[in-house]
Amino acid sequence: MSPEERAFQDRIDADIKIEPKEWMPEAYRKTLIRQISQHAHSEIIGMQPEGNWITRAPTLERKAILLAKVQDEAGHGLYLYCAAETLGVSRDELMEQLNSGKAKYSSIFNYPTLTWADIGAIGWLVDGAAIMNQVPLQRCSYGPYSRAMIRICKEESFHQRQGYDIMMKLARGTPEQKQMAQDALNRWWWPSLMMFGPSDANSVHSAQSMKWKIKINSNDELRQKFVDQTVPQAEYLGLTVPDPDLKWNAERGHYDFGEIDWEEFYQVIGGNGPCNRQRLRTRVKAYEEGRWVRDAAEAYAAKKAARTQAKAA
Amino acid sequence: MSPEERAFQDRIDADIKIEPKEWMPEAYRKTLIRQISQHAHSEIIGMQPEGNWITRAPTLERKAILLAKVQDEAGHGLYLYCAAETLGVSRDELMEQLNSGKAKYSSIFNYPTLTWADIGAIGWLVDGAAIMNQVPLQRCSYGPYSRAMIRICKEESFHQRQGYDIMMKLARGTPEQKQMAQDALNRWWWPSLMMFGPSDANSVHSAQSMKWKIKINSNDELRQKFVDQTVPQAEYLGLTVPDPDLKWNAERGHYDFGEIDWEEFYQVIGGNGPCNRQRLRTRVKAYEEGRWVRDAAEAYAAKKAARTQAKAA
Amino acid sequence: MNEQEALFEYLLRLGDNALILGHRLSEWCGHAPALEEDLALANVALDLIGQTQLWLNLAGTVEGKGRDADKLAYLRDTREFRNVLLVEQPNGDFAVTMVRQLYFDAWHYLLLQGLTTSRDGRIAEIAAKALKEVTYHLERSREWVIRLGDGTEESHRRMQTALDDLWMYTGELFEPDEVDRAMVGAGIGPDVSTLHEPWLGLMRATAEEATLTLPQPGWTQRGGKKGIHSEHLGYILADLQFLQRAYPNATW
Amino acid sequence: MNEQEALFEYLLRLGDNALILGHRLSEWCGHAPALEEDLALANVALDLIGQTQLWLNLAGTVEGKGRDADKLAYLRDTREFRNVLLVEQPNGDFAVTMVRQLYFDAWHYLLLQGLTTSRDGRIAEIAAKALKEVTYHLERSREWVIRLGDGTEESHRRMQTALDDLWMYTGELFEPDEVDRAMVGAGIGPDVSTLHEPWLGLMRATAEEATLTLPQPGWTQRGGKKGIHSEHLGYILADLQFLQRAYPNATW
């Protein structure tokens, strides 16, 4: 380790935040860019499955809540792209990576939202899993990322409560509504567990990231925590978690749960989920169709600046 | 009158059909092309207001009937374009005239179909008025047009019965359905009366066309006939014709009816109906987006012909 | 029509305008030209949905038949909707959406201003709240129209087309009918015909700054206020109302 | 699942495939590239709607709960629909529509052929009638795919894209599940996995004549037969079912 690297690691070990203009190892920068932009992309792509129900939300209040939620996701995307930009990459570059299929985003958004209950399940399970991932990251070593996480976590926990509230209404509603809720849980449970990534044994990069404090807990730790938190919530709803192997292990003080279908996980990551192509195409279309608007806004700003300058001269 | 013109008129007076290859006055040809192509265009544009309800028809049977009806309209358009083509104008030329807004079509199709009852009202009233216009044209002097009319009239009367049947179901249905039917009658009544064209006093071209037997009855005659036929049908449905001046005139043996709002008529013809722009844009879009298909079909046919020729050689 | 019935109609118009325009704007969510616009369009849509709730709940109260905002929004068919034709027009490209918004916002702003002095305190109160929001809407749609009008050649062309295309739906906004007149008579709402000049003034100033040409007065499309809509509204309602229609006895 | 339940499911699949594909084709009405195609697409759609009625009425009879074809078509939500994913895919351009049609028609043809010898006479009878229609559908979609594949550069490119894009929805057609197996066991329907080779043969021959490249076997999208659809189906049903949902006690 070079003296610079040593000093850098010492700061991290002492829980001092790294700020944009400070020296940092190239690998730290690159890993962070990848991690933050993936997170940003996930927020952006995540707007689609939920956006799918805005025009069909069942009450005006639910519509407003959902719209506000999807709006928050756009906002989170913005914070995160800004955080990534402090590492010397532009939003346009990141968008191009997303649009070209080079960059990844959370695989969960490649599943379709088929019923209104899916909006509840996403809030409850997907945002729940996201928070589980994100809460520790509020303490991560990179200042801008840490601060973005603090803002995001506050809103996400709000979203999770709203999702749970939707599930509650359904679970206490008509038989069809209850069935809708159970069906959503059946479809979203396993993909939610997959959100924590491969099991620790197969997780690359983890050790270095943890040393750098840009990853705080291991995938399996967080997944266990999520299961432990969520199972009682499902019970409270009167819904059944679709895992025959799920049971409380008094000895461990945790729930045991069944084997994840990693084949599905890698297929969906690899582009073969139900909606991968649709999500990407929708994004690219929005981006391409918006180009003339962005160009015009830029041209106008340039004209305006020139005029101001001309006046000043 | 030249000897040719005299001979031509004699044939017409003797009820002998004029056929494509025979001599005819240029004005006869031009008037016929305009009349037949306007009729063809009306069939094509007429597919839109009814097509609007195919995906939303209330039962599978109604859906099939409506789809078949709109299909018939495409078929009528085809017969009529073919009849016009015998007069030395191509379908493409006529389509271009329609797409450019140069050619007219029946103004009635510039009104929107707002409820399912409109599908009934169009069948009953609009097709009813069309038949009233078309039945005499089965005897018109130009052979291909006359024969097209014979085929078309048979199908149209079928359509009219189906439309009336929809109205009947609604008029005998729930209070909301009955109201839907009445509302449709209210909106389609006057535009249907306008379908017969300006009153005789203001109708140009009529005298010559009648002499040529490409117009058999006057606008006002046909309109009166339509009113006389339709009012009892409305009564049978238990619906009220939206005309306070409507009453039976025993002396004339006809219904008297109120003044038509010719201002509206000329506005809609002139392009200012509720849907003129939408109808034309939809048509142009279909035509433009279909261009590559037509081009490819032509290219393929040419290749195939060349191959057959090469083989033969 | 007695005054209460006229008031009910009037409130439906206010609520339905907000509902349908909010619906259209919410269709942009996730498809906007930039993230900032996803946020901004959603903001305007949210304001409009909030206004919908206020107006339609009040409409339900005035009607006195136990219908609340949700019942009115989700259980009426097209012929009972009272929004102006302008707000139900399809989003088109961003130019169409922004011109539709400018035309509506400017009118909405002037109308709400008038409503803040309504003799009906409930209406004045909602109008005051909505006016604050709509002030921002108008500021924003003006800025975009100027920016895109005076942006690139392409954006200028698109904006001029949108300006021309939507013009015929603006006349309806300023044509008082018996409902409007009843409201003027009762001191509840302003005479919409008096809003035309200030609106035109705003439009002229905006078009000029945007280097665009304001269309000439011409034929007006009308009918929305009486429930005679374009063919677009039926499809909006099919989506909007699906769940309430498909699960009639459920609460959500 | 007992045999009757399996049969009900099986008939729903047959009916829903026809219903949803018929719906998609009917969306073309008035928008086709030429009048002849307006006629032809409507013809195919009409055949499919007719088949829907036959299959779903029989499904209702088998279920024995008093549901007829209309009730089944108009009053089930997405999760209860059993069509394959292929048929609910959006129309796209004419190339996409024609490739979707070819993929489906060829399978449909082979399946119906198998069903004509069903031990269930009602099914054999419907299949025989439908087979006649579908023979024409297949002929027509083959012709179009060849014509457009071997037409212009543009049409070739569009067709190749469509061929590639829809390929992943074809696997589901040939994957038997417990319902299919129960029907094979009962002598009611053919083993769909045995249809794959003949289907591929047809596709290869067509692609060759069309100068197109048949995609390689790859990932398969599945779920439709179990009611797990794409996000498109919900919007189809919102339109399809609007009137029946909005006016629950009416007859039409």
Side-chain angles (χ1 to χ4, degrees):
Chain A
M1 213 179 263
S2 70
E4 272 171 326
E5 281 173 331
R6 167 54 49 212
F8 176 80
Q9 190 62 50
D10 285 347
R11 287 174 65 90
I12 286 181
D13 293 342
D15 281 335
I16 299 169
K17 297 285 179 236
I18 309 299
E19 295 299 334
K21 291 191 175 162
E22 293 171 34
W23 184 90
M24 60 187 79
E26 201 44 33
Y28 176 85
R29 181 190 307 273
K30 278 197 175 148
T31 307
L32 259 181
I33 288 178
R34 195 181 58 232
Q35 186 173 331
I36 298 174
S37 65
Q38 273 187 21
H39 187 169
H41 298 331
S42 301
E43 297 281 357
I44 302 314
I45 297 290
M47 295 170 75
Q48 289 183 44
E50 294 183 276
N52 185 39
W53 282 89
I54 291 173
T55 59
R56 293 180 291 171
T59 69
L60 292 169
E61 197 192 344
R62 291 286 176 205
K63 187 189 290 286
I65 291 171
L66 178 57
L67 183 54
K69 181 186 173 185
V70 180
Q71 186 191 34
D72 282 347
E73 282 155 14
H76 297 175
L78 262 184
Y79 306 159
L80 288 161
Y81 285 125
C82 290
E85 284 185 313
T86 63
L87 293 159
V89 61
S90 74
R91 202 209 297 185
D92 274 349
E93 281 174 77
L94 296 176
M95 283 273 179
E96 294 290 354
Q97 287 174 10
L98 173 61
N99 291 348
S100 69
K102 211 183 120 196
K104 296 267 178 275
Y105 56 85
S106 181
S107 252
I108 192 98
F109 300 121
N110 290 318
Y111 292 90
T113 50
L114 302 180
T115 73
W116 173 250
D118 290 13
I119 301 305
I122 288 182
W124 173 35
L125 301 174
V126 177
D127 290 336
I131 295 169
M132 206 58 88
N133 263 325
Q134 291 162 10
V135 162
L137 287 174
Q138 296 179 95
R139 293 178 285 115
C140 83
S141 63
Y142 187 59
Y145 190 26
S146 156
R147 290 187 290 273
M149 276 303 146
I150 291 168
R151 290 179 71 174
I152 289 173
C153 281
K154 216 185 305 179
E155 294 178 358
E156 290 285 14
S157 69
F158 199 57
H159 296 165
Q160 202 212 357
R161 276 205 302 279
Q162 291 165 340
Y164 194 71
D165 185 55
I166 289 176
M167 294 303 280
M168 182 80 84
K169 267 283 197 310
L170 296 173
R172 312 239 157 125
T174 66
E176 284 131 314
Q177 285 178 303
K178 183 160 183 181
Q179 195 186 344
M180 208 183 256
Q182 179 64 55
D183 170 58
L185 173 56
N186 293 348
R187 284 182 289 108
W188 292 94
W189 174 256
W190 290 106
S192 298
L193 294 196
M194 293 179 199
M195 283 178 72
F196 297 94
S199 66
D200 295 347
N202 301 311
S203 181
V204 282
H205 310 303
S206 277
Q208 181 59 69
S209 287
M210 288 174 96
K211 212 166 138 201
W212 277 335
K213 293 191 182 161
I214 55 182
K215 184 180 173 92
I216 313 290
N217 304 86
S218 85
N219 295 351
D220 286 335
E221 263 171 56
L222 291 170
R223 185 161 22 236
Q224 181 68 60
K225 224 175 144 184
F226 175 73
V227 171
D228 291 347
Q229 172 188 292
T230 310
V231 170
Q233 294 173 344
E235 279 167 7
Y236 186 71
L237 291 172
L239 300 178
T240 308
V241 173
D243 177 356
D245 297 328
L246 185 82
K247 64 165 184 287
W248 177 251
N249 182 326
E251 201 173 321
R252 291 205 305 127
H254 290 296
Y255 281 93
D256 291 338
F257 55 96
E259 193 59 39
I260 288 172
D261 180 359
W262 292 111
E263 164 64 13
E264 177 179 335
F265 177 76
Y266 288 111
Q267 281 290 356
V268 178
I269 283 212
N272 290 325
C275 300
N276 298 54
R277 199 177 62 188
Q278 178 188 341
R279 300 289 183 240
L280 209 54
R281 285 192 179 174
T282 301
R283 184 89 295 275
V284 170
K285 187 162 176 277
Y287 193 75
E288 292 306 326
E289 289 182 353
R291 191 181 296 279
W292 71 270
V293 178
R294 297 190 301 275
D295 289 350
E298 210 170 291
Y300 177 78
K303 279 190 209 176
K304 209 173 159 183
R307 277 180 217 140
T308 314
Q309 217 168 17
K311 252 188 220 156
Chain B
M1 214 178 261
S2 70
E4 272 172 325
E5 281 172 330
R6 167 53 49 209
F8 176 80
Q9 188 63 48
D10 286 347
R11 287 174 66 89
I12 286 181
D13 293 342
D15 280 336
I16 299 168
K17 296 286 180 237
I18 309 299
E19 294 300 333
K21 292 192 174 164
E22 294 171 35
W23 184 89
M24 61 187 79
E26 200 44 35
Y28 176 85
R29 182 191 306 273
K30 277 198 175 147
T31 307
L32 260 181
I33 289 179
R34 195 182 58 231
Q35 187 174 332
I36 298 175
S37 66
Q38 273 187 21
H39 187 169
H41 298 331
S42 300
E43 298 282 357
I44 303 313
I45 297 289
M47 296 171 74
Q48 290 182 44
E50 294 182 275
N52 185 39
W53 282 90
I54 292 173
T55 58
R56 292 178 292 170
T59 68
L60 293 170
E61 198 192 343
R62 291 287 176 205
K63 187 189 290 286
I65 292 172
L66 179 57
L67 183 54
K69 181 188 173 184
V70 180
Q71 187 191 32
D72 282 346
E73 281 155 14
H76 297 175
L78 262 184
Y79 308 158
L80 289 161
Y81 285 125
C82 289
E85 283 184 315
T86 64
L87 292 159
V89 61
S90 74
R91 201 209 297 185
D92 273 350
E93 280 174 77
L94 295 175
M95 284 273 179
E96 294 290 354
Q97 286 175 11
L98 173 61
N99 290 349
S100 69
K102 211 184 122 196
K104 295 269 179 272
Y105 55 85
S106 181
S107 252
I108 191 98
F109 300 121
N110 290 318
Y111 292 89
T113 50
L114 301 180
T115 73
W116 173 250
D118 291 12
I119 300 306
I122 287 182
W124 171 37
L125 301 175
V126 177
D127 290 336
I131 295 168
M132 207 57 87
N133 264 325
Q134 291 162 10
V135 162
L137 287 173
Q138 297 179 93
R139 295 180 284 117
C140 83
S141 63
Y142 187 58
Y145 191 25
S146 156
R147 291 188 289 274
M149 275 303 146
I150 292 169
R151 290 181 70 176
I152 290 174
C153 280
K154 214 185 306 178
E155 293 177 359
E156 290 285 14
S157 70
F158 199 57
H159 296 165
Q160 203 211 357
R161 278 205 302 279
Q162 290 165 342
Y164 194 70
D165 185 56
I166 290 177
M167 294 304 280
M168 183 79 83
K169 266 282 197 311
L170 295 174
R172 311 239 158 127
T174 66
E176 284 131 315
Q177 285 177 303
K178 182 160 182 181
Q179 194 186 345
M180 211 183 253
Q182 179 64 56
D183 169 59
L185 173 56
N186 293 349
R187 284 182 288 109
W188 291 94
W189 174 256
W190 290 105
S192 299
L193 295 196
M194 294 178 199
M195 282 179 72
F196 297 94
S199 65
D200 296 347
N202 300 310
S203 180
V204 283
H205 309 304
S206 279
Q208 180 60 69
S209 287
M210 288 173 97
K211 212 167 139 201
W212 278 333
K213 293 192 183 162
I214 55 181
K215 183 178 174 95
I216 313 290
N217 303 85
S218 86
N219 296 351
D220 285 335
E221 263 169 57
L222 291 170
R223 185 162 21 236
Q224 181 69 59
K225 226 176 141 182
F226 175 74
V227 171
D228 291 346
Q229 173 188 292
T230 310
V231 169
Q233 295 173 344
E235 278 167 8
Y236 186 71
L237 291 172
L239 300 178
T240 309
V241 173
D243 178 356
D245 297 328
L246 185 81
K247 63 164 182 292
W248 179 250
N249 182 328
E251 201 174 320
R252 290 205 305 128
H254 290 295
Y255 282 92
D256 292 338
F257 56 95
E259 194 59 40
I260 288 172
D261 180 358
W262 293 111
E263 164 65 13
E264 177 178 335
F265 177 76
Y266 288 111
Q267 282 291 356
V268 177
I269 283 212
N272 289 327
C275 300
N276 299 53
R277 199 177 62 190
Q278 179 188 340
R279 299 290 184 242
L280 209 54
R281 285 191 179 174
T282 301
R283 183 89 297 273
V284 170
K285 188 163 175 277
Y287 193 75
E288 292 305 326
E289 289 182 352
R291 190 181 296 280
W292 71 270
V293 178
R294 297 190 301 276
D295 289 350
E298 210 170 291
Y300 177 77
K303 278 190 210 177
K304 210 173 159 183
R307 275 179 218 141
T308 314
Q309 217 168 15
K311 255 188 219 157
Chain C
M1 195 180 320
N2 63 29
E3 193 187 309
Q4 190 197 325
E5 284 161 356
L7 179 57
F8 175 62
E9 281 286 312
Y10 194 70
L11 291 166
L12 284 185
R13 292 176 185 184
L14 290 163
D16 290 346
N17 282 338
L19 175 59
I20 300 302
L21 186 56
H23 185 98
R24 281 294 188 213
L25 290 176
S26 77
E27 290 174 353
W28 271 103
C29 195
H31 308 273
L35 273 179
E36 287 80 355
E37 288 317 297
D38 274 310
L39 285 161
L41 289 164
N43 251 338
V44 179
L46 277 167
D47 287 344
L48 291 170
I49 294 169
Q51 293 171 22
T52 304
Q53 290 175 295
L54 296 170
W55 292 126
L56 292 186
N57 274 327
L58 182 53
T61 305
V62 167
E63 188 195 29
K65 292 182 181 167
R67 295 202 281 184
D68 62 6
D70 280 336
K71 285 217 164 56
L72 287 169
Y74 286 90
L75 299 175
R76 282 178 298 148
D77 201 348
T78 41
R79 291 287 282 108
E80 299 160 274
F81 266 74
R82 294 293 181 259
N83 58 282
V84 293
L85 297 174
L86 177 65
V87 298
E88 71 199 36
Q89 298 308 306
N91 285 339
D93 63 4
F94 196 69
V96 170
T97 293
M98 279 302 139
V99 168
R100 184 184 63 196
Q101 201 63 34
L102 174 70
Y103 285 165
F104 184 79
D105 288 344
W107 173 78
H108 202 195
Y109 174 84
L110 294 165
L111 179 72
L112 289 169
Q113 223 172 26
L115 288 173
T116 53
T117 59
S118 174
R119 265 184 50 196
D120 186 322
R122 302 166 299 183
I123 290 177
E125 197 182 320
I126 298 174
K129 181 185 178 302
L131 183 61
K132 272 184 222 149
E133 297 166 347
V134 171
T135 305
Y136 284 106
H137 302 178
L138 175 58
E139 202 174 290
R140 192 175 158 274
S141 55
R142 280 201 68 217
E143 277 171 12
W144 266 114
V145 168
I146 292 165
R147 189 177 289 133
L148 295 176
D150 192 20
T152 61
E153 247 178 76
E154 180 182 3
S155 73
H156 181 87
R157 181 179 51 71
R158 286 177 185 257
M159 290 303 284
Q160 189 61 55
T161 304
L163 221 55
D164 295 341
D165 273 2
L166 291 171
W167 186 249
M168 66 180 175
Y169 300 106
T170 60
E172 185 182 24
L173 303 169
F174 305 101
E175 286 177 356
D177 63 4
E178 57 165 338
V179 170
D180 294 304
R181 279 187 291 267
M183 293 299 102
V184 175
I188 286 173
D191 176 352
V192 284
S193 67
T194 65
L195 308 180
H196 203 189
E197 264 313 311
W199 183 86
L200 275 173
L202 259 164
M203 292 305 103
R204 275 190 217 108
T206 308
E208 197 191 324
E209 204 175 336
T211 71
L212 295 166
T213 309
L214 209 61
Q216 290 302 308
W219 178 254
T220 278
Q221 294 287 0
R222 53 178 71 84
K225 286 159 77 170
K226 292 196 152 46
I228 299 182
H229 294 276
S230 63
E231 289 173 355
H232 306 297
L233 186 61
Y235 295 96
I236 292 179
L237 297 188
D239 287 342
L240 174 70
Q241 301 181 336
F242 180 76
L243 282 172
Q244 286 281 354
R245 301 286 197 184
Y247 301 90
N249 298 311
T251 54
W252 303 91
Chain D
M1 196 182 319
N2 64 28
E3 193 186 310
Q4 190 198 326
E5 285 161 354
L7 179 57
F8 176 61
E9 281 285 313
Y10 194 70
L11 291 165
L12 285 185
R13 292 176 186 183
L14 289 163
D16 290 347
N17 282 337
L19 174 60
I20 300 302
L21 185 56
H23 185 98
R24 280 294 190 213
L25 291 177
S26 77
E27 290 174 353
W28 272 103
C29 194
H31 307 274
L35 273 178
E36 288 80 354
E37 287 318 298
D38 274 310
L39 285 162
L41 289 165
N43 252 336
V44 179
L46 276 167
D47 287 343
L48 291 170
I49 294 168
Q51 294 171 21
T52 305
Q53 289 176 295
L54 297 171
W55 292 126
L56 291 187
N57 274 327
L58 182 53
T61 305
V62 167
E63 189 195 29
K65 292 183 179 166
R67 294 202 281 183
D68 61 7
D70 280 337
K71 284 218 164 57
L72 286 168
Y74 286 90
L75 299 174
R76 282 177 299 148
D77 201 350
T78 40
R79 291 287 282 107
E80 298 161 274
F81 266 74
R82 294 292 180 259
N83 58 283
V84 292
L85 298 174
L86 177 64
V87 298
E88 71 199 36
Q89 297 308 306
N91 285 339
D93 62 7
F94 196 68
V96 170
T97 292
M98 278 302 138
V99 169
R100 185 184 63 197
Q101 201 62 35
L102 174 70
Y103 285 164
F104 183 78
D105 287 344
W107 173 79
H108 202 196
Y109 174 83
L110 294 166
L111 179 72
L112 289 169
Q113 224 173 25
L115 287 172
T116 55
T117 59
S118 175
R119 265 186 49 196
D120 187 321
R122 302 166 299 182
I123 289 178
E125 198 182 320
I126 298 174
K129 180 186 181 301
L131 183 62
K132 272 184 223 150
E133 298 165 347
V134 171
T135 304
Y136 285 106
H137 301 177
L138 175 58
E139 202 174 290
R140 192 177 158 274
S141 55
R142 278 201 69 217
E143 277 171 12
W144 266 113
V145 168
I146 292 166
R147 189 176 290 132
L148 295 176
D150 192 20
T152 61
E153 246 178 77
E154 181 181 2
S155 73
H156 181 87
R157 180 179 53 69
R158 285 177 186 257
M159 289 303 285
Q160 189 62 55
T161 304
L163 221 55
D164 296 340
D165 273 3
L166 291 171
W167 186 248
M168 66 180 176
Y169 299 106
T170 59
E172 185 181 23
L173 303 169
F174 305 100
E175 288 178 355
D177 63 3
E178 57 166 338
V179 170
D180 295 303
R181 278 187 291 267
M183 291 302 101
V184 174
I188 286 174
D191 177 352
V192 285
S193 67
T194 66
L195 308 180
H196 203 188
E197 264 314 311
W199 184 85
L200 274 173
L202 260 165
M203 292 305 103
R204 274 189 217 107
T206 309
E208 198 190 325
E209 204 176 335
T211 71
L212 295 167
T213 310
L214 208 62
Q216 291 302 308
W219 178 253
T220 278
Q221 293 287 0
R222 53 178 70 83
K225 286 158 78 170
K226 293 197 151 46
I228 298 182
H229 294 276
S230 63
E231 288 172 357
H232 306 296
L233 187 62
Y235 294 96
I236 292 178
L237 297 188
D239 287 342
L240 174 70
Q241 302 181 335
F242 180 77
L243 282 173
Q244 286 281 354
R245 301 285 198 184
Y247 299 91
N249 298 310
T251 53
W252 304 91

